[in-house]
Amino acid sequence: MGVPLIEPLADAKRWRSVKSLGKDELDLGLNRCLAQIDANMSVFGNGQFPTPATTNGLYGVMGNDEWTNGFWTGQLWLAYELTGELRYRTLAETNVESFLERVEHRHELDHHDLGFLYIPSCVAAFKVCGSERGRRAAVLAADQLMTRWQARGRFFQAWGPMDSPDHYRFIIDCLLNVPLLYWASDATGDPTYAACARDHFMTTCAHIIRADGSAFHTFYMDPITGGPDHGATRQGYSDDSAWARGQAWGIDGISINIRHTGMKGYRDYARSMRNYYLNRLPEDSVCYWDLIFGDGSDQPRDSSAAAIAACGFAEMASQGASEEERAINEGALAITLRSLINNYTTDVPAPGAPILHHGVYSWHSGKGVDEGNIWGDYFFLEAIARKLITWNPYW
């Protein structure tokens, strides 16, 4: 598959002429995040973590067993960077010990989500305060991710036995997992990690992104030849629709991979995915859970997808493209964050509640539909941090 078409923006002037986010708006968003994190620290401490999504508006309490646990620790590191308050760092460092124990025992790690787990927790610990325990855990996690490498097809297999033809596939989410490997090459001096990450990035762009700039959730490769077979979904509405969170993973993930590889020729992939996304937003600029839906559809929104996309817009704006491109990305970031702050957060924190409301975890399985989810909370705070401080990205 060649480079996708870049669909013209339906209203480019709108995105280029947005009023910049004021510090008062950003402070409002930050204060709501911190107030909710403070409330949740009374619930999730000493190796306890929030469930991936809320039920009836509240997270459950669980151990370090899910693919999502890194996002709670990531919130703590961001809160520490934004405030300097040691209580956030103290709990984050306690969680790092849990992540080290988890990877040393390879507990529930037979999948590709090592980046989601170990970047916002342990890579962050190393970057923020030089934690050697965080470094050790993150390198071990990178080694574990490398066990998912399919050399014939040049990709990281998402789940399932490595010799199973039915599982010979990757998903768009993994664009946010492979940055763990770029970091591992820098940390260890071994270029193998980064080489595989780069190849996975190229394989993803070649096959999972459609010609119109939308994306499949998952792509199956031929287990005999290693070549492309077909795209499908397990999360989107249908195989040929555009799952909103997958589209957001692409916008952010492609841009992050460009930063690590220097492969500026891939910017058109990010632009194509961005324009497709922006052209299908509802009136308040927070997407429905699949981009096939719009206002009047009576479908749930996915605020978490909007938060991920916001980080992608910020990443794109930071990469030195044209002034017009920078203005579009800054405008998209401002509109998205403004709507999330004003319409999807609350100034009444409660223990166990989310920061961002009205997200979707898995529509088909009925999990976390019109609920908060922990990655949405994390990426919302990350997007705010990107505007308030000079932030050294964890990813």
Side-chain angles (χ1 to χ4, degrees):
M1 185 181 295
V3 177
L5 298 173
I6 300 177
E7 183 178 85
L9 287 172
D11 189 359
K13 182 179 179 180
R14 177 196 180 201
W15 304 106
R16 289 196 304 263
S17 57
V18 178
K19 179 185 176 183
S20 298
L21 284 163
K23 191 171 185 303
D24 56 338
E25 294 178 284
L26 291 166
D27 284 344
L28 174 62
L30 174 60
N31 290 336
R32 287 180 173 178
C33 289
L34 294 175
Q36 188 56 62
I37 291 169
D38 289 347
N40 287 345
M41 287 174 70
S42 67
V43 182
F44 309 111
N46 297 320
Q48 295 177 316
F49 296 83
T51 51
T54 62
T55 301
N56 297 322
L58 294 176
Y59 290 112
V61 180
M62 65 176 298
N64 198 346
D65 305 311
E66 267 281 9
W67 69 272
T68 55
N69 297 129
F71 295 118
W72 165 238
T73 307
Q75 290 176 57
L76 296 170
W77 284 121
L78 287 171
Y80 172 63
E81 289 206 77
L82 286 156
T83 68
E85 295 187 21
L86 286 175
R87 57 202 178 91
Y88 299 122
R89 173 174 170 171
T90 298
L91 182 52
E93 289 178 324
T94 297
N95 288 353
V96 166
E97 293 301 314
S98 174
F99 281 103
L100 178 57
E101 180 181 6
R102 180 173 177 176
V103 72
E104 286 179 336
H105 291 86
R106 296 191 176 187
H107 175 64
E108 297 292 337
L109 294 179
D110 194 16
H111 53 70
H112 72 148
D113 286 322
L114 280 297
F116 287 138
L117 283 165
Y118 283 86
I119 291 173
S121 60
C122 297
V123 172
F126 182 70
K127 288 190 171 186
V128 173
C129 59
S131 168
E132 286 299 321
R133 305 283 281 178
R135 181 188 184 281
R136 171 173 166 75
V139 171
L140 289 174
D143 291 337
Q144 179 66 18
L145 179 53
M146 290 293 289
T147 69
R148 308 299 300 172
W149 179 243
Q150 291 285 11
R152 183 184 296 113
R154 314 304 293 173
F155 68 93
F156 288 96
Q157 182 178 308
W159 310 291
M162 295 295 286
D163 59 354
S164 167
D166 291 340
H167 291 92
Y168 196 72
R169 60 167 176 152
F170 58 93
I171 67 173
I172 196 165
D173 313 38
C174 197
L175 289 172
L176 271 290
N177 286 320
V178 296
L180 175 65
L181 303 178
Y182 298 122
W183 173 86
S185 279
D186 289 341
T188 66
D190 183 346
T192 307
Y193 301 104
C196 291
R198 183 183 63 248
D199 284 359
H200 177 92
F201 168 53
M202 296 169 66
T203 300
T204 300
C205 289
H207 302 305
I208 212 166
I209 304 170
R210 303 185 185 105
D212 62 1
S214 64
F216 296 108
H217 166 230
T218 187
F219 199 90
Y220 289 83
M221 305 291 275
D222 185 317
I224 304 301
T225 68
D229 195 293
H230 70 283
T233 195
R234 283 183 62 180
Q235 287 278 32
Y237 181 72
S238 64
D239 286 347
D240 57 359
S241 70
W243 176 48
R245 194 159 75 245
Q247 197 77 12
W249 290 136
I251 295 166
D252 196 21
I254 292 170
S255 304
I256 290 170
N257 277 268
I258 291 170
R259 166 160 49 84
H260 284 288
T261 64
M263 297 168 68
K264 296 180 181 179
Y266 280 78
R267 284 177 173 171
D268 281 351
Y269 286 93
R271 289 178 61 206
S272 182
M273 294 199 74
R274 179 201 65 192
N275 286 12
Y276 188 97
Y277 174 90
L278 293 178
N279 282 342
R280 287 157 182 81
L281 290 181
E283 185 176 351
D284 78 345
S285 299
V286 172
C287 53
Y288 288 83
W289 72 276
D290 193 292
L291 299 179
I292 199 172
F293 300 116
D295 286 326
S297 64
D298 199 33
Q299 290 285 326
R301 308 297 182 99
D302 187 2
S303 60
S304 75
I308 296 163
C311 292
F313 303 145
E315 184 68 39
M316 291 178 74
S318 72
Q319 291 188 9
S322 68
E323 183 60 28
E324 179 180 13
E325 276 292 297
R326 188 201 62 77
I328 290 169
N329 290 315
E330 289 285 2
L333 172 59
I335 285 180
T336 303
L337 270 182
R338 185 170 286 130
S339 186
L340 290 174
I341 291 167
N342 292 335
N343 303 316
Y344 292 82
T345 66
T346 176
D347 58 4
V348 184
I355 295 171
L356 271 190
H357 297 264
H358 307 300
V360 171
Y361 180 6
S362 177
W363 185 83
H364 287 287
S365 61
K367 293 192 298 185
V369 177
D370 196 24
E371 295 278 357
N373 43 49
I374 198 65
W375 56 88
D377 295 348
Y378 168 82
F379 283 104
F380 177 60
L381 182 55
E382 180 188 302
I384 290 173
R386 284 173 174 268
K387 294 298 294 182
L388 282 175
I389 61 175
T390 301
W391 184 62
N392 181 18
Y394 305 155
W395 306 92

